[in-house]
Amino acid sequence: MTVVLVLLVVGCRPAERPLVAVGKGPDRDVRVLLRPCSDDDPIREVVFLGSDEKGDGVDRPARDGWSDRPPGSVTGEQEVSLFDLPKGWQGKAGSVTELASDGDYSVSFVVGPNDTVRYKGLTRFTGVDVAGLASGQWWADGKAMSRAEFRAQADDAC
């Protein structure tokens, strides 16, 4: 009976997919690319988190994150700044102004109507990962790639 219960609980978690990429924009801006599986999938919430698992040397403002809710039913690919939340989105902004080189971070989004979570887009990265990107490159699923490569990978993950 315990095994069946464990399988049921594990089976209830929404799928996490590599549908988020992080890249560098002009003026030290860090950009986030969100790619839902379908242009009809509403993005319900976007969350940026930082951690200080490495301990000392990470400034608190470089670790603070935010969560944000797009207005209405935002669908399709979205590109937003990691440091400036989009106008009209509702949420709690953090005090992030730059990434700490030794900081660990994640960006995720949730897709599904109302309180239903169909799947979650996610990427994890460090400040070093983003700093090492060349112009036009994006960090997703643990590696650097072009926007076209990210789109193809995201489409395959769906």
Side-chain angles (χ1 to χ4, degrees):
M1 181 67 165
T2 305
V3 173
V4 173
L5 182 58
V6 169
L7 289 175
L8 288 174
V9 171
V10 171
C12 293
R13 289 184 56 183
E16 289 184 353
R17 300 176 180 169
L19 306 176
V20 180
V22 180
K24 292 190 293 189
D27 302 328
R28 297 174 26 136
D29 188 26
V30 176
R31 308 294 296 171
V32 178
L33 191 58
L34 313 170
R35 187 161 174 88
C37 288
S38 165
D39 284 342
D40 296 330
D41 287 344
I43 297 174
R44 223 180 55 227
E45 183 176 25
V46 181
V47 178
F48 167 60
L49 295 174
S51 72
D52 61 347
E53 292 176 6
K54 294 183 173 99
D56 297 336
V58 181
D59 294 334
R60 181 74 197 157
R63 291 194 313 263
D64 288 345
W66 50 259
S67 65
D68 209 0
R69 292 183 177 269
S73 295
V74 170
T75 59
E77 185 175 286
Q78 303 289 312
E79 183 177 332
V80 299
S81 170
L82 191 61
F83 304 137
D84 295 318
L85 302 181
K87 291 182 193 275
W89 288 29
Q90 300 172 3
K92 181 180 185 247
S95 58
V96 177
T97 58
E98 63 182 356
L99 298 177
S101 62
D102 59 350
D104 293 311
Y105 302 94
S106 68
V107 174
S108 63
F109 69 90
V110 175
V111 166
N114 304 318
D115 290 331
T116 303
V117 177
R118 290 185 35 224
Y119 61 88
K120 180 179 179 180
L122 174 71
T123 196
R124 291 180 176 87
F125 58 97
T126 67
V128 171
D129 296 333
V130 175
L133 294 173
S135 178
Q137 284 189 315
W138 294 85
W139 185 267
D141 202 22
K143 60 187 174 277
M145 60 186 72
S146 69
R147 184 183 289 247
E149 290 169 324
F150 167 68
R151 286 177 172 158
Q153 173 188 285
D155 291 346
D156 288 346
C158 291

